[in-house]
Amino acid sequence: MTIQWYKDIHTHLAKRFLACVRQTIQLLTEYPEIKPVVYDNVHCAGVNGFPYTIHYLIIIFVHIKLSFYEVFSPS
């Protein structure tokens, strides 16, 4: 695993790598279309300071939560 490899080098480096990955994922969660499509609707985002790239798809779905009474109450 990548984190273990960085931890073997230095604990601080592993923590920094994990923080950068989380920061990149947070950015992509908020702005998924910020990075370009590179192939077959797959976007790519580099992890700042490290030679890794996150490949991802944008999947859109709608979740509607209805209460029991909204679904089954007589109109």
Side-chain angles (χ1 to χ4, degrees):
M1 181 175 220
T2 304
I3 295 173
Q4 184 61 47
W5 188 81
Y6 281 121
K7 189 182 273 187
D8 290 344
I9 296 171
H10 196 282
T11 304
H12 178 70
L13 189 59
K15 289 178 182 178
R16 197 176 90 198
F17 172 71
L18 187 57
C20 288
V21 168
R22 286 180 175 158
Q23 182 181 27
T24 303
I25 291 171
Q26 180 63 36
L27 175 72
L28 298 175
T29 301
E30 293 176 21
Y31 307 100
E33 294 178 354
I34 196 169
K35 298 298 180 178
V37 172
V38 291
Y39 58 90
D40 293 335
N41 294 324
V42 176
H43 297 255
C44 288
V47 177
N48 289 336
F50 293 91
Y52 289 90
T53 304
I54 296 172
H55 299 249
Y56 64 99
L57 292 168
I58 299 174
I59 300 172
I60 300 172
F61 66 95
V62 177
H63 176 77
I64 300 172
K65 183 177 180 181
L66 299 173
S67 73
F68 176 82
Y69 296 105
E70 290 173 320
V71 175
F72 295 104
S73 66
S75 298

